[in-house]
Structure formats: structure tokens, C-alpha cells
Amino acid sequence: MTAPRVLFLSHSHTFGPFRVGSHHYAREWSRLGAQVVHLSTPISLLHRLTRRMPSAAVRATPRRPQVDEDGVTHMVPRTVLPRPLGGFRVHRELERAGIAPTFDAVLIDQPLLWDDSVRDLSDRLVYRPTDLYPAGVKRRLQAGIIARADAVVATSGRVLHDLGPLDVPSLVIENGVDLAHFAGSGEDADGRPAICVYVGALDTRFDWARVIAWAGSHSGIRFVVAGPSAHTPARLPDNVDVLGALPYAKVPDLLHRARVGLLPLSDDPSNAGRSPMKLHEYLAAGLTVVARETPGIRDDREAGVFTYSSDAAADAALTDALTHASPNNAGRRMAERHGWTEKTRELAGFIGGL
């Protein structure tokens, strides 16, 4: 029997510090026996000239298709103009790489990768929105994808609702966790030091002011922030350490040395639709979690998830989280229900029934 062929058209490649949902789905689908290609947003000459992508990051990203240890073929095209400008076409890029442009399923989460050739790559085209696009070019391209897609699988109910009425089957599958990667060794059964940690993007969706306020009111606690950022505040409290970008392979070690995982989300409207992967990664690593409340993140104190919706509540949530049992074994059990293996089987079953 011929192995199914699956193509992911994704917003992020796998050669940087972050892992996104499409990376995990690609790995798990490959382990299930599929031939998987993962093509991400092209790196344009304009992006390189304007330094929107650091030179070191460009050099670390292969120009040619690379097959990883799980058998997934990763492609990061190079273009002159950024998408959707220029003449880039997905089918042409696949053919140039010697990859047959026919698949049993195509899953696209990056509107900027949409062009008419994508519809012809498979009889099963699935749009997998991961974010809110209230306006602009991504909103326009998203409408084009929905009009041609066979199904929609969103990462949150808010993201699905934002698409409006749909004429195709739809499903919500929230982001999950690589349990084997983040599970602890069990050597921390007697508790962990009072360290609070955040790992992730440090863009407009991150609330630096909240971290600074926490550090000011908890001077005896260390706060560790890891992630790439060009705009770190010039003055931070002495008990805040900024590590910069951390390789994905090293993230579990950092989490296992902490007690609390932070999700200090800003009031950026896009946060309302997020399904933060970090929530379940923190829990799988045995941390309690303090997060700004959103439609996708709710208070669950039994599982060690403490949410806030105001400054006063934020400080109280952190205080409560610091006194919660450590390591957070109840949270670990909760995370076990969100493994990528089961989510991939659910997604594959849904697509197989189209």
C-alpha cells in the first residue's frame, strides 16, 4: 500500500528556536507512515536587505530541502520579493525541488502562501487557521482560501468563530504538547526553587509591564525571560534575567529548574484567539501556570492554572501559584490529555472522512 503524502504550508520553519503546531503534526504524521513535506514562508531578499530577519538566522536556514530525523522534508524557499508579492508559486517550488506536486492532503495555515496552484495539489485542501486576521492582506487571502477549501480546522473556538459562517466541515483542535520532550525526570519530587519563567516570542503580544510589576512586588523571586527580542526594556529590576533566544532542545532543562510558568499576555487583540502551546508545555514540565485570562485560557486551580484579568488579580494569582504543590503533578496529568500523537490521529481521521 502506498504511503499517504501530506503537505503543510506553514507560517514558520523548524530551523529557529520555536516549534509550532505544523512541525508537531508533520513529525507525528511521518511516524504514522506518511510521506510529509513541510514548506514554510519564503525568506525574501527584501527581508534580508532590511534586516527584518537577522543574518545569522538566514545563514542557519538551509536553502535546499532538508530531511529531518523523523523523515519530514522541510523547505524554506528564497524569493526576491516577500509574499504575496512576486511570482512565487507553491507547485513551481515543489517541482524545482524534484517533489511531485500531488498529495493526499494539503494543510495550509499561512495565508501568505496561498495561490491558485495550491488548490490543484490535492483533492483534500484543509485551512488550519492559528490566528485572528481582522483586516489587511492576510484577511483577504484567508477569504480566498476558505472559498476553495474542503474543510477548516482551527486552533481555537474564537479563531473559528472569526471566520464567519462556513459551507464546509469544520473542527477545533487546540494546540498540544510534545510530552516526551517536556516530561521531567521525577528527581524534583521535593519541590523546586522559587523561579518564574517565560519562554516564547517577545513581541506586541507580550506584556513587559506585567513582568516588571511582578518582579517589583516579589523582590525575592527570580524571573527568567527567554526569547528573541529587539525591544527589551532598557531598565529591568535586578531579579529579572533575560536570556535571549533559547534552542528548543534546551527549553525543558530551563523549565525543570523553575516553579511557575508565566503567560503575561498583553491586550493585543490577537491574544483573544490564541491557543498557547506553552500552557501545556509548562504543565507537562511540572510547573504551575499564571496567565492572563482569555477565551482559551481559564482558571483551573486544581490543575495549577491561575488566571487574572486585572493588575490586582495578577499579583494574587502569582502569589497563589508560588504556594501550589511543586512539582505540579496534577498539571502533568492534565497535559497528558493534550499530546500531539492523539491530536494527529484526530486530525487524520477528520481529513480521511472528507
Side-chain angles (χ1 to χ4, degrees):
M1 181 177 179
T2 303
R5 303 186 74 237
V6 181
L7 172 66
F8 288 89
L9 300 175
S10 174
H11 52 75
S12 300
H13 63 71
T14 191
F15 301 103
F18 298 129
R19 295 294 179 273
V20 298
S22 62
H23 301 154
H24 295 290
Y25 279 128
R27 178 193 67 241
E28 295 298 330
W29 225 315
S30 182
R31 290 177 178 176
L32 290 173
Q35 297 177 15
V36 183
V37 177
H38 187 282
L39 188 153
S40 56
T41 310
I43 299 174
S44 73
L45 177 61
L46 185 61
H47 282 140
R48 301 198 297 273
L49 291 176
T50 57
R51 302 290 180 91
R52 287 187 62 184
M53 185 171 184
S55 298
V58 174
R59 290 193 299 270
T61 307
R63 286 179 169 272
R64 299 180 181 278
Q66 297 285 314
V67 180
D68 67 17
E69 60 184 7
D70 293 303
V72 178
T73 300
H74 293 274
M75 300 176 63
V76 189
R78 298 296 201 276
T79 59
V80 175
L81 296 174
R83 291 293 296 149
L85 303 176
F88 174 85
R89 294 292 182 270
V90 171
H91 81 94
R92 189 181 305 150
E93 189 68 25
L94 292 166
E95 289 176 338
R96 185 180 293 121
I99 297 173
T102 54
F103 296 87
D104 295 285
V106 173
L107 297 95
I108 179 170
D109 64 50
Q110 169 57 294
L112 294 178
L113 285 172
W114 172 251
D115 65 66
D116 288 340
S117 77
V118 173
R119 174 63 271 188
D120 297 329
L121 298 175
S122 176
D123 291 334
R124 293 184 178 92
L125 174 63
V126 178
Y127 180 43
R128 201 179 71 84
T130 63
D131 214 337
L132 298 174
Y133 304 117
V137 65
K138 288 188 177 182
R139 182 75 177 188
R140 176 176 61 81
L141 290 169
Q142 176 177 258
I145 299 172
I146 293 171
R148 304 291 302 279
D150 299 302
V152 172
V153 179
T155 53
S156 74
R158 180 64 179 269
V159 165
L160 183 63
H161 179 268
D162 183 67
L163 301 180
L166 299 172
D167 296 325
V168 295
S170 63
L171 183 67
V172 173
I173 303 181
E174 296 179 352
N175 282 322
V177 56
D178 184 350
L179 293 167
H181 189 67
F182 287 95
S185 64
E187 298 175 355
D188 55 358
D190 295 329
R192 297 182 178 183
I195 296 174
C196 300
V197 63
Y198 170 83
V199 181
L202 299 173
D203 52 24
T204 58
R205 298 170 296 178
F206 180 80
D207 190 353
W208 273 112
R210 170 42 40 210
V211 174
I212 291 170
W214 272 329
S217 59
H218 296 270
S219 58
I221 306 297
R222 297 222 61 79
F223 292 80
V224 179
V225 177
S229 175
H231 305 290
T232 302
R235 299 182 64 181
L236 290 170
D238 292 339
N239 56 331
V240 177
D241 299 324
V242 180
L243 303 184
L246 193 68
Y248 181 71
K250 295 185 178 181
V251 173
D253 289 340
L254 174 62
L255 300 187
H256 295 158
R257 296 197 300 268
R259 178 180 287 261
V260 176
L262 302 175
L263 284 171
L265 306 178
S266 71
D267 57 4
D268 189 300
S270 67
N271 277 327
R274 292 180 68 189
S275 172
M277 215 173 301
K278 203 57 60 185
L279 171 64
H280 299 303
E281 291 175 352
Y282 287 161
L283 293 174
L287 280 71
T288 54
V289 177
V290 178
R292 181 170 182 168
E293 186 173 289
T294 71
I297 307 177
R298 298 296 188 182
D299 201 82
D300 187 343
R301 299 197 164 216
E302 183 176 344
V305 179
F306 301 81
T307 62
Y308 61 90
S309 56
S310 66
D311 288 340
D315 200 63
L318 180 57
T319 298
D320 290 344
L322 287 166
T323 59
H324 191 273
S326 177
N328 178 17
N329 291 319
R332 281 173 166 163
R333 290 190 292 272
M334 177 179 174
E336 288 171 358
R337 301 197 298 269
H338 294 274
W340 283 113
T341 300
E342 291 307 314
K343 289 180 182 290
T344 303
R345 293 184 185 277
E346 181 181 5
L347 178 59
F350 174 75
I351 294 174
L354 295 176

